[in-house]
Structures are given as structure tokens and as C-alpha cells.
Amino acid sequence: MNVRSLLFGLMMLVWGNSLQGQEVSRGRLGILLGGMNGVSYDYALTNHLELGGTAAFVLGLGYGGSSKSFQFGGLTPLLELAPRYYFSRQEGDRLFYKGGYLSLRLGAQIDDWTLFPSKAVRESNVKSHYTLGMAPTFGWSFPLSEKSALRLGIGFLFYRSKRSYAGDSYYAGQSYWEKTHRLSDAPFLLDIAYSIAL
């Protein structure tokens, strides 16, 4: 399945659900803590579908294949838009959806503005400037109280990253695009967020 088919299928799902004439939509402003730290706004389109927007700092944690160790990359600013389709109905007056969901996370990350970059990032001969990403995600949402919820998910990240060479190499100053070419190259992306409704 290619990316265009996936996007077209998601758009048809959104359009079909919005035509069902279900109860009035509702929005929710909140604070995110965890893998993403910032603010979010989730808007319920139907009993199953919500659209989420996020402005946050992403906690850069990863597992290095060559070093065989966990690495910290810093806190990087991110803007994200994520339609989510929940399999279970939203019942009653609950603020948060409960149960399994499918999502398509679309984000733009500004790597040049990373706070507290690690020594490995600072001394690298390759500098990343910004990254555009798309991550089909499956997960589960757990309302913890009337005003809080925990969301856990996992997906594959397809990205395009603008990078340039630094240092004294022959290619210093030259920029290029690095991108995901196939599913086997796509890294796992975790969706771990604790939401508090304001």
C-alpha cells in the first residue's frame, strides 16, 4: 500500500463520518506530558473521530544501532496534526475517548531549534535542519479521570529531513534530503502522552 492510497482512504473515512450527522462537535484544550511536552487541542468530529493539533517539544530518545545503547538527542519543537479514528463509541459526557484507535500523525519538526542537544548531536558532521513526517499509528486511550487520560500507541515514521554537512570535510556546507524509501527503513514511533484537560 503506498502513501497516496493511505491518505486517500483516511480522507474518505473522515468525509464519510462527517456526513453521518451525529451529535454536535466538541473541542478540548489540554496539556501533554511524556514523549511530547506542550499543548494540544482535540476536536471531536463524530462519536468515533477526532482531529488533534499539537505544539510541543519532543523528547529525543532513541536506541542506537551501532552503539547498542539508548541515546538522548534533546528537546525539539514540533507542530503536529493528527486525525484519530476510535473503534469504540464515545458514551455520555466523557471528555476523553476510550479504547483502540488508528491515527495518521502529520508533523513538522524544527531540528535547528533543539534545546539541550547531546554531545553526539553537537559534534556530528551532519546537521539536521528540519524534518517533515507522517506516521500511521495504532494505539489505545485510557481515560484516568474526568479530566485526564493516557494515550499509548506505536507506528511507523515516514520522513523527509533537510540536512547539511558540517566540519572540515570536502562536502562542508552542502545540503541534501534524507528520506524513508521503504517500510523496512521506517523507524518505530511511539505515541505516549498524558493529557490533562484545561
Side-chain angles (χ1 to χ4, degrees), residues 42-171:
D42 297 315
Y43 192 74
L45 299 170
T46 71
N47 282 352
H48 293 277
L49 189 68
E50 81 176 6
L51 184 62
T54 301
F57 285 94
V58 177
L59 183 62
L61 285 177
Y63 186 77
S66 58
S67 64
K68 305 291 187 196
S69 63
F70 283 97
Q71 300 168 353
F72 172 72
L75 292 167
T76 306
L78 169 80
L79 293 175
E80 183 178 270
L81 187 65
R84 295 183 203 98
Y85 180 81
Y86 287 84
F87 302 114
S88 57
R89 286 177 60 96
Q90 180 184 3
E91 297 294 345
D93 223 4
R94 298 186 67 91
L95 270 175
F96 292 97
Y97 286 96
K98 180 180 182 180
Y101 69 87
L102 281 176
S103 176
L104 183 64
R105 299 172 61 184
L106 306 168
Q109 183 172 292
I110 307 169
D111 302 310
D112 279 336
W113 295 355
T114 298
L115 301 175
F116 315 114
S118 67
K119 183 178 180 183
V121 170
R122 289 193 312 269
E123 295 179 355
S124 174
N125 287 331
V126 175
K127 301 297 180 190
S128 184
H129 300 292
Y130 59 91
T131 302
L132 306 174
M134 177 185 72
T137 303
F138 172 76
W140 202 270
S141 179
F142 306 91
L144 302 176
S145 70
E146 278 189 23
K147 293 198 169 186
S148 67
L150 180 65
R151 193 174 64 235
L152 303 172
I154 189 165
F156 289 101
L157 176 62
F158 298 91
Y159 67 90
R160 284 178 59 88
S161 183
K162 185 72 168 182
R163 299 184 176 195
S164 65
Y165 294 101
D168 299 327
S169 72
Y170 174 77
Y171 299 105

